Amino acid sequence: MSYKPLILFIEDDKAIRSFMHISLEAQGYRYIDADTAKNGLCLFYSHNPDIVVLDLGLPDSDGITVIEAIRTGMNTPIIIVSARGHDQDKISALDAGADDYLTKPFSVSELSARIRVALRHRNSVLQNATTPITKFCVGELVVDYDKRRVLMQNQDIHLTPIEFKLMELLSIHAGRVLTHNYMIKMIWGNYNESNTQSLRVYMANLRRKIEIDTTKPRYFMTEVGIGYRLVDE
Amino acid sequence: MNDSVLKLTQNLLRGIITMCLLFIGATFLSLFFKRLGFNESNIIMVYILCVMLTAYFTEGYLISFLASIIGVMTFNYFFTEPYFSFEFYHSDYAVTFIFMFISALLTSMLTYRIRTAVKISLERERRTALLYHIGQRLIRAENASEMIDIVGQECSRILGVETVIATTASIGVTACTTKESFLLKSYQYFMGGSKQVDEKVLAAHHYQSMDAVYAQRKTVVDYKKNSNDQSMYYIPLDGQTVCYGVIGFKILDNEVVSEEKEDHTHAIASLMVMALERILFQAEQQKIELKIESEHLRGNLLRAISHDLRTPLSGILGATNTILDNFGHLDPNSMVELLENVHMDTQWLIHTVENILSLTRIEEGGIALNMQGEYIDEIIAEVLRLSAKNIQDYNIEVEIDDNGIMIEMDGQLIKQVLLNLIDNATKFTPIHSTIVISVNLQEINNMAVIRIRDNGKGIDPQALEAIFDRFYTSTNYKQESRRGIGLGLEICKAIVEAHKGTIVAYNAQDQGAVFEITLPVMEGGHDEL
């Protein structure tokens, strides 16, 4: 019998918890839930779940503090759930160390897709701790870290150094949303307004070099107002 | 008080000199008359006239009294025997002198009194005219700042005194001078009928006095403290409930403000307060009207929404009830059907709630847009991804003539616009229709034109006018998609206009409806880097 990942769902709405319980268990996950940040953290420390799904609007405390508490010692994947129009909250949660986000209302299939991505990512991180990866492959896109090359349909794509850095950053974190802030910090080291604009321009160029049709992207997903994501499947 | 004594002495001195000159003239004239052999009564008349003239040209009763005595004495000295002495031989002269004195005194007094009365009435007339003039102009004033200018200009021009008007922040006047630490926030200084644009610096104690006048709502006279200083007379602009500020007039250095002046300046102040209150009241009224209007709209919106939400909610309730009550008896097919209905209704509810949220964001006290440069193709990509379920049975074509078009926008809101328009297109056209999304760059005015075109029946020409109005719902819906509170297009319009763009709808020449959005392209936002 295969290992069943344990999901901790921290959400104050009972209806959502109950259907999540049913559907996630039906999909073969083990499930525990909490209705407050405090209970959530208790369960987290006692059960050490494989993944945490966290609602940002909890009654007793800010979701960000929960993320920070978890991130002090663990890198358990955290998927946050929040209402639309709270972009800034999402960005701060992602910057605080959350791995992914979902906007309410969301469907179970969306959530389970994100859970799969997060788990896969976690597993690959666990594996790579011993054997460093040299290549990233998705669809017809190949990023070769050693040779610093990007191949698309086996064709060499010429990238500028910054474009390659972006490609590298996105592919290492494939499947996850990277906020503008985070990307700027990783590429340029410090943040200022003009860098946001530069990031857009570099990303637009990168996309145009790799995507066949930028309006129906296969690899690069733009999360408007939040950041970018490279698909991993 | 030294100054006023000096002034009094000066006046007296000037009066005595005038009197002496007049008497010298009168004496020479009388001597001339005597040489001609004119009767004494003529000479008496000359002296009485002289006393009268003295009274007319000088100030104060003292001089009139003096002039009367001197008149009698000069007459006695020069024209009664023995000449050049104050003695007289005929005893009836005593009577003459007495009557001469009395008539001279009375005439002079009357003359002086009339003169003063004329002067006062002229002054009053001038003040009344000023009040009338200010009143007239204030009626036409449209805002507080204009009013301050009017009062200041007229006072300094017609009264000829330098005027300062200080007001609180509450009346919303942008000040030409602002002293941070004081209660009053705007100080405007007027001189000779015009506002002093560069800061006329009053000594610090004046600002303190003005604050004190404002705080205590009491009149204050602030005398000068040193030679560069000036004395001012401050009156609070005291309204029904609050004080709006202070008006100050320059006064003579040690002037005691007369009751009349006090009344008059207070009249100006109250005129100004009345006008101020009228304007503030008007503004308040407008605000209330606006609020009522928006409450009204909100009410309508709520009614429309509640009404429209009820339908899908009843659907959901009914379907879930049916499933719960008949669980186990229902065949799987009808269960799936019921659940599909619930799903559809929920989808619709979500969409509607998104629209309502966007609308409230747009309407909440102006617009809090989160503007950032976004590439239009990224936005379209995301919109297509989000509406994937909706458009899976349609043929979507995207035509972008320049991938590098960057538009400064609130991405979430523009996304909502495009989602609504695509949703609309799918609602009004049969499945497998073609929906074309195109983006063109208008080089002339640097605008991006986004068109959503379908190949359906087009829009009823009569409906084109009202299509962006709130709650407009077409009667032409496809059979099952019965609803839509008609908020979608209104929201699109509000969002696009908040981005300084335009949105229009028209029917394409060949076939189908076109929604055309024009948005300004960001500076340098279509250059390939």
Side-chain angles (χ1 to χ4, degrees):
Chain A
M1 197 177 140
S2 66
Y3 173 73
K4 280 180 163 186
L6 176 64
I7 294 172
L8 169 59
F9 200 83
I10 309 176
E11 156 73 63
D12 58 332
D13 188 81
K14 194 164 167 272
I16 295 180
R17 282 205 312 271
S18 89
F19 84 74
M20 277 300 157
H21 190 170
I22 296 171
S23 61
L24 288 175
E25 281 197 339
Q27 289 176 56
Y29 296 106
R30 284 179 298 141
Y31 173 94
I32 45 172
D33 63 29
D35 56 351
T36 60
K38 208 173 132 216
N39 293 346
L41 280 174
C42 282
L43 285 177
F44 178 81
Y45 292 128
S46 54
H47 287 73
N48 189 18
D50 296 286
I51 196 159
V52 178
V53 181
L54 170 70
D55 182 9
L56 282 184
L58 290 172
D60 60 335
S61 125
D62 189 355
I64 305 282
T65 53
V66 180
I67 298 172
E68 281 164 353
I70 293 176
R71 277 288 170 264
T72 48
M74 311 287 285
N75 50 18
T76 312
I78 302 171
I79 297 173
I80 52 167
V81 169
S82 88
R84 172 189 174 261
H86 296 205
D87 282 357
Q88 202 46 54
D89 294 355
K90 282 177 212 154
I91 293 171
S92 352
L94 288 169
D95 282 340
D99 293 75
D100 208 340
Y101 77 90
L102 271 174
T103 303
K104 271 185 186 174
F106 56 89
S107 67
V108 181
S109 57
E110 269 178 279
L111 177 64
S112 44
R114 300 298 169 89
I115 289 175
R116 277 199 306 277
V117 169
L119 286 174
R120 197 165 45 234
H121 193 251
R122 174 182 154 96
N123 292 338
S124 71
V125 168
L126 289 175
Q127 280 169 12
N128 298 335
T130 48
T131 52
I133 46 158
T134 56
K135 257 187 191 174
F136 168 84
C137 305
V138 60
E140 291 174 295
L141 176 71
V142 178
V143 183
D144 189 330
Y145 301 123
D146 285 346
K147 294 185 184 139
R148 301 188 67 77
R149 279 203 313 174
V150 175
L151 296 168
M152 180 68 197
Q153 294 172 325
N154 288 323
Q155 298 282 308
D156 229 328
I157 306 269
H158 176 74
L159 297 182
T160 65
I162 287 191
E163 285 165 4
F164 185 81
K165 264 170 132 182
L166 283 169
M167 193 67 237
E168 199 177 30
L169 187 67
L170 283 163
S171 57
I172 288 170
H173 300 284
R176 290 176 55 186
V177 188
L178 302 184
T179 64
H180 297 141
N181 285 3
Y182 178 77
M183 293 176 78
I184 288 166
K185 237 188 307 187
M186 296 307 284
I187 304 288
W188 284 281
N190 62 339
Y191 176 84
N192 71 47
E193 268 305 309
S194 63
N195 281 345
T196 320
Q197 225 47 264
S198 310
L199 177 68
R200 304 290 172 94
V201 175
Y202 282 114
M203 277 307 296
N205 287 338
L206 183 56
R207 260 186 358 221
R208 261 173 260 150
K209 284 181 182 176
I210 288 167
E211 297 287 359
I212 296 155
D213 179 354
T214 53
T215 58
K216 288 165 189 155
R218 163 72 179 87
Y219 303 103
F220 293 97
M221 296 296 155
T222 309
E223 308 279 339
V224 172
I226 311 263
Y228 297 95
R229 176 210 303 271
L230 187 69
V231 297
D232 71 337
E233 57 184 348
Chain B
M1 290 308 279
N2 274 336
D3 271 13
S4 55
V5 172
L6 195 78
K7 207 178 159 203
L8 220 69
T9 346
Q10 260 178 2
N11 265 343
L12 201 67
L13 225 69
R14 198 180 300 128
I16 289 169
I17 291 165
T18 318
M19 182 180 71
C20 291
L21 287 173
L22 281 166
F23 272 104
I24 290 166
T27 311
F28 276 113
L29 188 68
S30 306
L31 285 172
F32 178 61
F33 281 177
K34 200 183 160 209
R35 172 81 47 89
L36 290 179
F38 280 15
N39 193 310
E40 260 174 14
S41 58
N42 287 323
I43 292 164
I44 294 176
M45 280 319 196
V46 168
Y47 275 103
I48 290 181
L49 181 70
C50 175
V51 173
M52 211 171 99
L53 285 174
T54 308
Y56 189 77
F57 287 117
T58 60
E59 299 276 333
Y61 290 110
L62 183 65
I63 299 212
S64 304
F65 183 73
L66 272 176
S68 309
I69 293 176
I70 291 170
V72 173
M73 283 168 73
T74 339
F75 176 67
N76 178 8
Y77 189 76
F78 287 106
F79 302 105
T80 57
E81 286 172 50
Y83 298 123
F84 304 107
S85 102
F86 289 113
E87 289 170 33
F88 48 91
Y89 297 153
H90 294 284
S91 57
D92 58 342
Y93 271 129
V95 181
T96 312
F97 293 157
I98 289 168
F99 278 100
M100 188 181 160
F101 172 71
I102 291 172
S103 52
L105 188 65
L106 283 179
T107 325
S108 67
M109 296 259 179
L110 280 174
T111 311
Y112 179 69
R113 197 176 293 167
I114 286 166
R115 211 191 106 204
T116 319
V118 167
K119 216 164 113 187
I120 288 172
S121 72
L122 273 177
E123 180 67 24
R124 276 199 190 132
E125 201 179 294
R126 203 161 59 105
R127 287 174 176 181
T128 317
L130 172 67
L131 283 179
Y132 175 75
H133 201 70
I134 292 178
Q136 282 291 307
R137 283 192 65 189
L138 282 181
I139 287 174
R140 286 190 290 270
E142 272 162 17
N143 54 48
S145 145
E146 211 174 297
M147 282 179 32
I148 291 173
D149 286 356
I150 289 170
V151 175
Q153 283 163 6
E154 296 297 332
C155 286
S156 64
R157 191 170 63 87
I158 299 179
L159 289 181
V161 293
E162 291 168 28
T163 308
V164 64
I165 299 174
T167 44
T168 55
S170 69
I171 68 163
V173 175
T174 43
C176 83
T177 59
T178 307
K179 298 263 179 269
E180 282 303 322
S181 55
F182 295 106
L183 293 174
L184 297 165
K185 291 301 170 215
S186 148
Y187 300 90
Q188 308 199 37
Y189 205 87
F190 297 87
M191 207 152 92
S194 58
K195 180 149 67 181
Q196 299 307 106
V197 181
D198 21 298
E199 200 163 322
K200 164 92 190 182
V201 185
L202 286 161
H205 67 91
H206 282 291
Y207 293 105
Q208 281 159 11
S209 302
M210 280 191 259
D211 268 6
V213 169
Y214 166 70
Q216 294 160 12
R217 302 166 83 160
K218 258 198 238 147
T219 306
V220 158
V221 183
D222 195 7
Y223 291 111
K224 71 182 219 176
K225 298 274 195 287
N226 58 50
S227 54
N228 293 332
D229 203 357
Q230 56 194 357
S231 302
M232 298 288 289
Y233 173 57
Y234 295 115
I235 305 161
L237 295 170
D238 218 347
Q240 257 178 0
T241 48
V242 290
C243 184
Y244 298 106
V246 173
I247 184 166
F249 301 100
K250 188 179 178 183
I251 51 171
L252 297 171
D253 287 343
N254 279 308
E255 180 178 342
V256 178
V257 179
S258 67
E259 207 170 296
E260 198 157 0
K261 190 164 187 172
E262 206 172 299
D263 285 350
H264 179 239
T265 45
H266 273 91
I268 293 173
S270 41
L271 203 63
M272 188 168 166
V273 168
M274 260 154 60
L276 258 179
E277 285 191 328
R278 171 179 66 84
I279 276 171
L280 293 177
F281 182 72
Q282 260 174 12
E284 190 68 16
Q285 189 77 15
Q286 255 167 20
K287 228 186 271 170
I288 290 169
E289 268 165 28
L290 215 78
K291 207 170 160 192
I292 291 171
E293 173 78 358
S294 71
E295 286 291 316
H296 189 69
L297 281 178
R298 200 171 302 245
N300 272 348
L301 181 66
L302 270 180
R303 258 192 300 285
I305 291 169
S306 326
H307 182 263
D308 274 47
L309 293 188
R310 209 152 39 188
T311 326
L313 284 174
S314 335
I316 294 170
L317 190 70
T320 45
N321 252 343
T322 315
I323 295 168
L324 284 175
D325 291 350
N326 305 299
F327 201 79
H329 310 296
L330 277 176
D331 64 299
N333 280 342
S334 33
M335 194 127 112
V336 167
E337 198 188 318
L338 283 172
L339 287 174
E340 266 173 359
N341 285 342
V342 171
H343 189 77
M344 249 175 54
D345 280 336
T346 325
Q347 291 285 349
W348 184 85
L349 282 173
I350 289 168
H351 183 75
T352 308
V353 167
E354 293 291 287
N355 271 339
I356 294 166
L357 273 176
S358 303
L359 189 68
T360 50
R361 249 187 85 199
I362 289 283
E363 291 195 336
E364 248 166 41
I367 302 137
L369 293 180
N370 176 22
M371 299 293 267
Q372 275 183 335
E374 304 275 4
Y375 282 103
I376 189 65
D377 53 335
E378 288 184 23
I379 299 290
I380 291 175
E382 173 136 345
V383 167
L384 292 180
R385 187 156 60 92
L386 288 171
S387 48
K389 239 187 220 145
N390 230 340
I391 57 177
Q392 58 190 353
D393 293 330
Y394 290 81
N395 179 21
I396 305 285
E397 288 172 20
V398 183
E399 300 166 359
I400 299 182
D401 64 42
D402 178 355
N403 273 329
I405 297 178
M406 193 186 253
I407 298 173
E408 186 151 41
M409 62 165 94
D410 185 318
Q412 295 293 355
L413 291 179
I414 294 293
K415 241 167 65 187
Q416 190 70 31
V417 170
L418 296 176
L419 279 173
N420 277 342
L421 292 180
I422 290 173
D423 185 54
N424 242 15
T426 59
K427 258 188 217 157
F428 286 97
T429 52
I431 55 169
H432 305 307
S433 303
T434 303
I435 298 169
V436 183
I437 304 161
S438 69
V439 182
N440 299 93
L441 186 68
Q442 251 176 31
E443 302 265 0
I444 316 161
N445 49 3
N446 208 24
M447 297 290 254
V449 183
I450 306 163
R451 292 191 188 85
I452 315 270
R453 193 174 75 228
D454 62 42
N455 62 349
K457 282 185 304 195
I459 307 160
D460 180 0
Q462 287 180 325
L464 273 177
E465 293 268 311
I467 201 164
F468 289 106
D469 286 353
R470 187 168 290 191
F471 311 132
Y472 172 80
T473 31
S474 169
T475 43
N476 271 341
Y477 268 100
K478 289 186 296 187
Q479 62 287 356
E480 82 278 16
S481 50
R482 56 193 186 271
R483 46 196 180 236
I485 23 181
L487 267 175
L489 286 177
E490 199 227 340
I491 288 162
C492 292
K493 190 176 154 118
I495 293 173
V496 170
E497 283 176 356
H499 283 79
K500 301 188 177 62
T502 55
I503 181 168
V504 287
Y506 55 88
N507 285 318
Q509 280 186 338
D510 42 353
Q511 197 189 14
V514 183
F515 284 86
E516 185 178 299
I517 303 167
T518 314
L519 288 172
V521 172
M522 231 172 128
E523 279 299 304
H526 58 97
D527 289 332
E528 300 281 324
L529 250 160

